[in-house]
Amino acid sequence: MSKKLYLISYGCQMNEYDSAKMADVLAASHGYQRTDNPDEADLLLLNTCSVREKAQEKVFSELGRWREWKNADPSRVIGVGGCVASQEGQALTERQPLVDIVFGPQTLHRLPELLDSTRGTRRPVVDVSFPEIEKFDRLPEPRAEGPSAFVSVMEGCSKYCTFCVVPYTRGAEVSRPLDSVLAEIAQLAGQGVREVTLLGQNVNAYRGAMGDSGEVCDLALLIHHVARIPGIERIRYTTSHPAEFTDALIDAFAEEPKLASYLHLPVQSGSDRILGMMKRGYTRAQFLDKVRRVRVARPDLSLSTDFIVGFPTESEDDFVQTMDLIAEAGFDCAFSFIYSPRPGTPAANLRDSVPEAEKHRRLDILQGRIRALDDAFKRNLVGTTQRVLVERPARKGRGQLAGRTSTNRWVNFAAPDALLGQFVEVEITEALSNSLRGRLRGVEQAA
């Protein structure tokens, strides 16, 4: 009887990538197969995120629900990974004795040894160390699950923004060697992947070693290398830091047609005073200058960002400056959150002076404005023909397939399943609240 793994993942795309690798590692080492039914699993893993408020409480609440499965079969192993695990370490097993394994984002490749250890000793094991690049050297061969794939090119962050816990939970910036990244993408392309998203907490900081030459490859050069891999027809990357959004990256939007017309560039605030308190490393004017130049390089660009509303001491004037920035930059998509202090970060020591009701008022205003801009962007696509990668059956409607435009908008359209994994031309016929509808126009031949 095969072993079963039940895995829940919270958080960002890096966590999605890590969760997939956890499953791959355990499949290779112990023959585990994933299941959506926790009752039949003998290993339950929770991959956590600590970026938002009450992340620890959310984890312990989930573990409380898992207690019944552990009580039903004490031989079941429960593991907690990710950023909350990295923050809590040994304290997690002390607060929740049902937890057998605690591992950080950089030690997921050690899961087989940790599993064997806890089963052998019947005692909890904890490994939240930062062994740098070892993780990527120990992962199994990449396995495609559709025509689009995430590829992690670097880990960690060394920016130490005052509100952010990532440098403490994922460690300093470490880049994979160029050859390692290209080999993984080539293998994925051989399995039918046509689009890759290059991932990193601060992906713009990628500096991969180029063989034994002593030279390093930056993200812009990496994009050009990836574009030359047979079969790869579209490239995305996330998440960018504006301070390292270089001239070379701007030029890549003008020079590399395989680079998608979508950029996620988190600004966080439109107020120089707040940006300084956040230790973001750029001013409003510098950010807008980069936006202006990248729009010249790629006029049809979809520009996405992140905002934190209600940062300590944020005044009404600071918030108005943020709203003005939305108009000046022309964002058409944004992820926005109310500020919440993260334990261990410098901003957690600041007096959280903005009333909760005011934070919610500002967030509602900002999100309403972004929704209107998103709607306008989608309406402008109606009547145009977009190149779409067919990624999956549509969630609603038989005979419908779904894929994304270069500008990262989902489109549903009638088409045969034989087109899954191919690029097609789709005329946009309707803009809905969360997606687009279209009509199939043409089919490209697979590379």
Side-chain angles (χ1 to χ4, degrees):
M1 184 170 139
S2 64
K3 298 176 181 178
K4 298 290 186 180
L5 164 68
Y6 178 70
L7 195 161
I8 292 179
S9 185
Y10 297 147
C12 65
Q13 291 169 319
M14 290 293 292
N15 265 26
E16 290 181 43
Y17 176 88
D18 284 349
S19 292
K21 294 304 179 185
M22 290 174 200
D24 289 347
V25 164
L26 291 165
S29 66
H30 290 74
Y32 272 99
Q33 295 180 4
R34 288 187 72 167
T35 177
D36 293 327
N37 181 6
D39 289 310
E40 67 179 23
D42 56 281
L43 174 59
L44 297 90
L45 296 181
L46 183 61
N47 191 17
T48 64
C49 173
S50 61
V51 171
R52 300 295 162 221
E53 186 179 14
K54 299 180 181 175
Q56 285 89 338
E57 286 78 359
K58 187 176 182 181
V59 168
F60 288 115
S61 177
E62 186 68 48
L63 290 173
R65 289 189 285 271
W66 287 17
R67 185 176 289 108
E68 62 179 278
W69 296 314
K70 185 77 166 182
N71 291 340
D73 183 359
S75 69
R76 280 191 174 116
V77 173
I78 290 180
V80 180
C83 291
V84 171
S86 187
Q87 269 188 300
E88 295 288 308
Q90 188 72 41
L92 206 153
T93 63
E94 294 167 0
R95 182 171 166 183
Q96 268 292 10
L98 62 85
V99 175
D100 303 291
I101 302 173
V102 179
F103 59 102
Q106 304 300 84
T107 52
L108 67 87
H109 60 286
R110 296 177 181 172
L111 266 173
E113 297 97 304
L114 297 173
L115 179 59
D116 290 341
S117 175
T118 193
R119 282 196 168 137
T121 64
R122 297 188 178 276
R123 298 180 63 181
V125 290
V126 178
D127 188 347
V128 291
S129 58
F130 298 105
E132 295 194 354
I133 213 71
E134 174 193 311
K135 166 180 167 181
F136 295 104
D137 294 336
R138 294 271 302 277
L139 292 176
E141 296 292 301
R143 180 170 51 86
E145 295 183 353
S148 181
F150 293 136
V151 176
S152 183
V153 302
M154 58 87 67
E155 289 269 353
C157 184
S158 301
K159 293 295 170 287
Y160 289 93
C161 299
T162 59
F163 57 84
C164 186
V165 75
V166 167
Y168 308 99
T169 58
R170 285 188 176 263
E173 293 164 355
V174 180
S175 296
R176 293 175 65 185
L178 172 64
D179 289 348
S180 172
V181 174
L182 297 181
E184 178 174 346
I185 295 173
Q187 286 177 292
L188 290 168
Q191 298 174 48
V193 167
R194 308 294 303 282
E195 172 187 286
V196 291
T197 300
L198 309 176
L199 293 180
Q201 265 79 33
N202 175 21
V203 72
N204 292 1
Y206 176 78
R207 298 293 185 274
M210 300 177 68
D212 298 322
S213 66
E215 297 180 3
V216 295
C217 174
D218 64 9
L219 181 63
L221 182 56
L222 174 63
I223 289 166
H224 292 301
H225 278 293
V226 173
R228 306 285 84 78
I229 295 175
I232 298 300
E233 293 298 322
R234 184 180 285 164
I235 302 163
R236 304 181 190 273
Y237 62 90
T238 197
T239 293
S240 291
H241 193 293
E244 290 185 285
F245 188 61
T246 62
D247 291 348
L249 281 169
I250 292 173
D251 291 342
F253 279 100
E255 299 165 355
E256 184 47 70
K258 290 185 179 181
L259 183 58
S261 295
Y262 174 80
L263 173 63
H264 184 64
L265 196 63
V267 66
Q268 307 301 356
S269 174
S271 161
D272 281 340
R273 187 180 73 84
I274 297 296
L275 289 172
M277 291 181 66
M278 290 177 168
K279 197 183 171 188
R280 290 293 286 171
Y282 53 84
T283 65
R284 173 196 181 97
Q286 289 169 335
F287 182 89
L288 287 170
D289 178 63
K290 293 183 181 188
V291 167
R292 179 188 58 77
R293 289 190 288 132
V294 75
R295 287 200 181 282
V296 170
R298 186 68 66 90
D300 66 340
L301 186 78
S302 168
L303 183 62
S304 171
T305 195
D306 291 345
F307 288 110
I308 293 174
V309 174
F311 191 79
T313 78
E314 182 188 69
S315 66
E316 182 65 19
D317 181 62
D318 293 321
F319 177 66
V320 167
Q321 290 180 53
T322 294
M323 294 302 296
D324 289 345
L325 180 76
I326 292 173
E328 288 187 62
F331 300 116
D332 53 84
C333 180
F335 303 91
S336 50
F337 307 93
I338 287 174
Y339 170 76
S340 60
R342 308 310 307 128
T345 61
N349 298 318
L350 298 173
R351 188 170 69 87
D352 194 359
S353 58
V354 184
E356 204 64 25
E358 180 61 20
K359 291 179 184 179
H360 284 278
R361 185 189 74 85
R362 292 175 186 176
L363 184 68
D364 287 346
I365 292 171
L366 188 149
Q367 290 183 337
R369 180 60 180 148
I370 292 294
R371 277 193 300 272
L373 291 169
D374 178 38
D375 289 344
F377 187 92
K378 293 199 294 283
R379 284 196 302 271
N380 285 336
L381 293 178
V382 174
T384 69
T385 298
Q386 299 290 316
R387 187 170 183 250
V388 173
L389 175 60
V390 189
E391 296 189 44
R392 55 171 173 77
R395 293 196 169 97
K396 295 180 181 178
R398 295 183 63 183
Q400 299 271 315
L401 299 181
R404 282 179 298 165
T405 67
S406 180
T407 53
N408 209 37
R409 269 29 183 220
W410 282 98
V411 188
N412 298 313
F413 52 95
D417 287 351
L419 294 183
L420 284 166
Q422 294 190 44
F423 279 96
V424 297
E425 298 292 321
V426 176
E427 181 185 355
I428 307 303
T429 58
E430 188 178 2
L432 305 175
S433 57
N434 294 313
S435 63
L436 301 164
R437 282 183 182 158
R439 181 185 302 114
L440 185 66
R441 298 287 293 180
V443 181
E444 298 181 23
Q445 295 298 312

